[in-house]
Amino acid sequence: MPCQSKFTAVWVACLVLAGCFGGVMHEAPGVTPGVRIEWGQARSATGCALDYAWYRPVASTPGELVVLAHGFLRDKARLAGLARALAEAGISVVTVDFCNTRPWRGNHARNGFDLIAVADRLEARRLVYAGFSAGGLAALVAARNDPRTLGVLTLDLVDARELGRLMVQGLDRPVIGLFGEPASCNADNNGLTTLAAARQARIERIDGASHCDFESPTDWLCRALCEPDRAGAEQRRAEILARSVTAVRSLLME
């Protein structure tokens, strides 16, 4: 936990220095024809609005949905690349902005239930929950508490107070975890210990990957904190996107 606490404090400091239900349908710019995006809101049990972007391929299976969660103090734009890759593969996916996270408190359990609220809003029947960093932790919470879950994909998972470990011990669905190199930004790969407690877990390592490589796109802030060497980042990001699509496809076949 010391590494995670140190990262959280540095991350918050850098952010400080850096100073309607239903949605509207639009063509998704830069996405394969036949994919549309619906922007809308669901409501958290705490009353705040959960903004989402729903990538809807014409060829997707009705009722199937991937719910994709961003990392701590990030936003859904940081996973737009993965959402597009999934949508271009014919998979319906929604990215969500958490509304209950605070710099001093992640509210990861609440975030997990907020992911379920978005799935309910979109009337999903067969679900894969997925997330990056602390978003992977929220995905585990959602999966553990949603009987519609087929499986979970975590991207460089970061656990907090062993919440993820508690969730996977009671989860009877498969979990696929993609991990980069151990560093302070992923709490020295503490997510590996979390998934070791899962009943059904598959670990895939991305050699040389930094925490930022799992965002698509990332930004200068993540690079400044978590990516000392950018060499090969684009190739690693492409590999992560390809592996993520393959992983989600396998989970949807459960």
Side-chain angles (χ1 to χ4, degrees):
M1 294 305 295
C3 289
Q4 183 182 356
S5 299
K6 179 181 178 182
F7 164 64
T8 300
V10 173
W11 188 265
V12 171
C14 287
L15 285 174
V16 170
L17 290 173
C20 124
F21 294 91
V24 180
M25 299 294 293
H26 299 273
E27 291 294 341
V31 180
T32 300
V35 176
R36 297 172 71 86
I37 298 180
E38 177 179 338
W39 286 274
Q41 290 183 343
R43 186 69 61 184
S44 170
T46 65
C48 63
L50 298 159
D51 293 324
Y52 64 75
W54 187 11
Y55 296 70
R56 304 184 65 181
V58 172
S60 62
T61 302
E64 283 190 350
L65 183 67
V66 178
V67 182
L68 188 54
H70 62 76
F72 179 62
L73 296 180
R74 306 298 272 166
D75 59 51
K76 64 182 181 295
R78 295 297 148 209
L79 293 175
L82 176 53
R84 291 174 187 274
L86 290 166
E88 289 170 1
I91 300 167
S92 179
V93 55
V94 61
T95 55
V96 182
D97 279 339
F98 291 131
C99 62
N100 285 295
T101 296
R102 301 292 181 267
W104 55 90
R105 186 177 181 185
N107 281 325
H108 307 296
R110 178 70 266 161
N111 291 342
F113 284 97
D114 285 346
L115 295 179
I116 295 174
V118 172
D120 290 342
R121 169 67 185 151
L122 302 183
E123 300 182 344
R125 298 189 299 275
R126 303 178 76 248
L127 283 153
V128 170
Y129 286 103
F132 160 66
S133 192
L137 177 54
L140 291 174
V141 173
R144 173 65 180 82
N145 290 281
D146 190 342
R148 300 168 295 180
T149 300
L150 302 175
V152 186
L153 171 65
T154 65
L155 304 174
D156 220 27
L157 171 66
V158 174
D159 204 347
R161 301 181 183 275
E162 297 194 347
L163 175 61
R165 183 181 177 88
L166 177 63
M167 292 297 103
V168 299
Q169 287 174 339
L171 181 62
D172 61 354
R173 295 291 185 268
V175 182
I176 300 174
L178 275 57
F179 286 91
E181 301 295 340
S184 60
C185 287
N186 61 17
D188 288 324
N189 275 159
N190 76 346
L192 288 172
T193 302
T194 299
L195 295 194
R199 299 180 189 180
Q200 304 176 60
R202 186 172 87 227
I203 305 300
E204 298 185 17
R205 302 301 299 260
I206 311 296
D207 291 340
S210 74
H211 204 50
C212 304
D213 290 338
F214 292 86
E215 291 190 319
S216 52
T218 193
D219 63 1
W220 68 268
L221 177 57
C222 188
R223 287 192 293 265
L225 286 170
C226 307
E227 193 174 64
D229 183 3
R230 293 184 62 186
E234 290 308 310
Q235 293 86 344
R236 291 191 299 270
R237 187 166 288 110
E239 180 182 356
I240 289 166
L241 291 178
R243 288 208 200 183
S244 297
V245 171
T246 298
V248 167
R249 278 177 165 161
S250 71
L251 292 171
L252 288 172
M253 293 175 63
E254 291 292 330

